[in-house]
Amino acid sequence: MEKSEVLTELDVADTGRTGRSVMKKLPEVTLAFWIMKIAATTLGETAGDLFAQTLKLGYFLTTIALFLIFVVTLVVQLRSPRYNPFFYWTVILSTSMAGTTMSDFMNRDASAKFLSDGATSLGRGPQGLGLGYPSGAAILISLLIVIFIVWKCTGLTFAIRDIVTFRGEALFWSAILVSNTLGTSMGDFLSDSSGLGYAGGALLVTGVLAVLVALMRVPAVPNVLLFWIAFVLTRPLGATAGDFLTKPLAKGGLDLGTAGSSAVLLALLIGLMGYAHVQERRNTAVPRDEAPTRNS
């Protein structure tokens, strides 16, 4: 069998049986991973608001544009033969930006509570579906459950470090897009409707994440389950943090603006991607002994 066929068809179990290695496409889950995830999701919130609200493109047109960007970045990631930090984190960023405006378009409408002072509309195109945060979250949770059920039926692994097939990666990115959209709805609910405010919402999510870290030491709780819960929750953390940076002082924010905040966060994320790229090159430069092939 050709090597390309092996990369396409083998899952983790197949890899273990044959003793052959496949090229990883996704990163190791480390502290740096979570720092970059929070930075990317916070940037996704501020950049999505920059295009939709500050530049007044509106949620509908911005969602279409950002979803197309997501598709382009995803194609680049899927076609890459190995893990590339710049490709991977660009897709994470594009899902965060698209998820921000998709959530806003689903949940918001043209009522005064969603408009800036003196504004009469949310921008060009349709104003939003006005489903509200609870209904929007219910739809997104249902969709995410369906994705995980389909994923489970394929027999492929949920562990990010062991996803090595095209089908597994496609399911992974589908779950990421929906989870980032869901996380935006959760973050906006905590910031706008729960009474906690931006800082309070961020502190609540941080506390829940701390509990998840503690549960990692409990053998009965699968780490894969904790990973996916944490992955969803880092999105509302980014959403509340982004709102805290950009919203007016009167609403409990720092009033740094979407443009300035996005520029700083983008520089930070690019720096972190550069660091991850250097680390990845160092890791791949170290020769690894191939596992011995046992004679049948």
Side-chain angles (χ1 to χ4, degrees), residues 92-113:
I92 292 290
L93 175 59
S94 66
T95 61
S96 298
M97 292 191 298
T100 295
T101 54
M102 288 168 62
S103 170
D104 289 344
F105 181 72
M106 289 178 61
N107 299 326
R108 299 183 176 186
D109 53 29
S111 57
K113 63 181 179 179

Side-chain angles (χ1 to χ4, degrees), residues 227-250:
F227 166 83
W228 280 105
I229 295 175
F231 204 97
V232 172
L233 288 178
T234 50
R235 184 63 186 96
L237 177 59
T240 52
D243 286 339
F244 180 64
L245 292 173
T246 60
K247 298 302 181 182
L249 295 173

Side-chain angles (χ1 to χ4, degrees), residues 166-241:
F166 177 89
R167 183 170 54 174
E169 196 177 359
L171 288 166
F172 171 81
W173 288 114
S174 298
I176 296 304
L177 178 62
V178 176
S179 66
N180 276 337
T181 308
L182 171 62
T184 301
S185 296
M186 295 169 61
D188 288 341
F189 171 77
L190 290 174
S191 298
D192 299 335
S193 303
S194 68
L196 293 174
Y198 306 124
L203 288 174
L204 175 62
V205 177
T206 301
V208 176
L209 289 173
V211 172
L212 295 179
V213 172
L215 288 175
M216 291 179 62
R217 300 182 178 275
V218 179
V221 182
N223 281 347
V224 171
L225 175 62
L226 295 176
F227 166 83
W228 280 105
I229 295 175
F231 204 97
V232 172
L233 288 178
T234 50
R235 184 63 186 96
L237 177 59
T240 52

Side-chain angles (χ1 to χ4, degrees), residues 25-284:
K25 294 290 300 295
L26 303 175
E28 297 291 335
V29 180
T30 62
L31 177 61
F33 171 91
W34 291 113
I35 293 174
M36 295 179 71
K37 172 62 165 57
I38 295 171
T41 53
T42 305
L43 176 57
E45 178 72 17
T46 60
D49 288 345
L50 171 65
F51 291 118
Q53 300 176 21
T54 306
L55 299 180
K56 299 186 183 303
L57 295 178
Y59 299 135
F60 181 70
L61 294 181
T62 304
T63 295
I64 293 175
L66 293 179
F67 186 81
L68 291 175
I69 292 174
F70 159 68
V71 171
V72 172
T73 58
L74 179 60
V75 169
V76 173
Q77 164 68 19
L78 292 175
R79 290 179 62 86
S80 176
R82 67 183 69 197
Y83 168 61
N84 183 304
F86 287 99
F87 295 165
Y88 175 85
W89 288 107
T90 299
V91 185
I92 292 290
L93 175 59
S94 66
T95 61
S96 298
M97 292 191 298
T100 295
T101 54
M102 288 168 62
S103 170
D104 289 344
F105 181 72
M106 289 178 61
N107 299 326
R108 299 183 176 186
D109 53 29
S111 57
K113 63 181 179 179
F114 297 125
L115 300 177
S116 303
D117 294 338
T120 58
S121 70
L122 292 171
R124 301 169 186 170
Q127 300 296 296
L129 299 179
L131 298 177
Y133 298 127
S135 298
I139 293 172
L140 292 166
I141 289 173
S142 300
L143 183 56
L144 189 60
I145 291 174
V146 169
I147 292 174
F148 281 125
I149 290 174
V150 172
W151 195 339
K152 178 67 175 179
C153 291
T154 64
L156 298 174
T157 179
F158 289 106
I160 180 174
R161 67 178 180 273
D162 295 331
I163 297 175
V164 294
T165 64
F166 177 89
R167 183 170 54 174
E169 196 177 359
L171 288 166
F172 171 81
W173 288 114
S174 298
I176 296 304
L177 178 62
V178 176
S179 66
N180 276 337
T181 308
L182 171 62
T184 301
S185 296
M186 295 169 61
D188 288 341
F189 171 77
L190 290 174
S191 298
D192 299 335
S193 303
S194 68
L196 293 174
Y198 306 124
L203 288 174
L204 175 62
V205 177
T206 301
V208 176
L209 289 173
V211 172
L212 295 179
V213 172
L215 288 175
M216 291 179 62
R217 300 182 178 275
V218 179
V221 182
N223 281 347
V224 171
L225 175 62
L226 295 176
F227 166 83
W228 280 105
I229 295 175
F231 204 97
V232 172
L233 288 178
T234 50
R235 184 63 186 96
L237 177 59
T240 52
D243 286 339
F244 180 64
L245 292 173
T246 60
K247 298 302 181 182
L249 295 173
K251 293 185 177 181
L254 296 179
D255 200 17
L256 300 179
T258 55
S261 299
S262 297
V264 172
L265 289 167
L266 179 60
L268 174 63
L269 185 59
I270 291 175
L272 290 171
M273 287 193 293
Y275 170 79
H277 182 69
V278 171
Q279 291 297 108
E280 183 66 20
R281 292 191 64 178
R282 288 177 178 174
N283 292 338
T284 55

